[in-house]
Amino acid sequence: MFVLANLVTTVAGLLEFVINFYMFVIIVAAFLGWVNPDPYNVIVRTLKAATEPVFFRIRKYLPFVMVNGFDMSPIVALLALQLVNGVIVRSLLQLGLRLAN
């Protein structure tokens, strides 16, 4: 049973790492939205490709996130990721600890 506990704990840790990394990507993309970077830069294009599908869906389902030309979709995405991190990852960690005992 300890193997399953280790597997669940490892999956929770990996999921937490991915969520934290994507939150960092969202923050960097939001800061780049305030300046006018070169749209042909590889880093800018990669960040836009990684975040724009999520931002588009947030803007589609929550049209009020655009406030006076200010895009609030990165904030909504960060809050949603924080919610997932707090509920799902912590639940997986607790499950892994219970399986270990």
Side-chain angles (χ1 to χ4, degrees):
M1 200 60 133
F2 68 92
V3 174
L4 183 61
N6 289 340
L7 179 67
V8 170
T9 307
T10 304
V11 167
L14 182 63
L15 185 60
E16 183 179 24
F17 173 76
V18 169
I19 288 172
N20 288 336
F21 180 76
Y22 194 66
M23 288 174 66
F24 176 73
V25 169
I26 287 174
I27 291 169
V28 170
F31 281 135
L32 283 178
W34 291 346
V35 297
N36 195 7
D38 180 20
Y40 299 108
N41 188 334
V42 176
I43 296 171
V44 173
R45 291 175 71 174
T46 303
L47 287 173
K48 204 133 180 85
T51 57
E52 198 56 39
V54 174
F55 295 163
F56 174 75
R57 283 187 176 79
I58 291 172
R59 287 185 215 116
K60 180 179 173 184
Y61 293 115
L62 303 172
F64 58 85
V65 295
M66 292 295 286
V67 179
N68 294 331
F70 184 70
D71 187 14
M72 302 284 283
S73 57
I75 295 172
V76 173
L78 288 172
L79 289 174
L81 285 174
Q82 197 64 21
L83 182 69
V84 168
N85 197 15
V87 173
I88 297 191
V89 172
R90 288 193 181 159
S91 297
L92 283 173
L93 283 172
Q94 288 177 355
L95 177 65
L97 290 174
R98 283 192 183 169
L99 289 173
N101 292 332

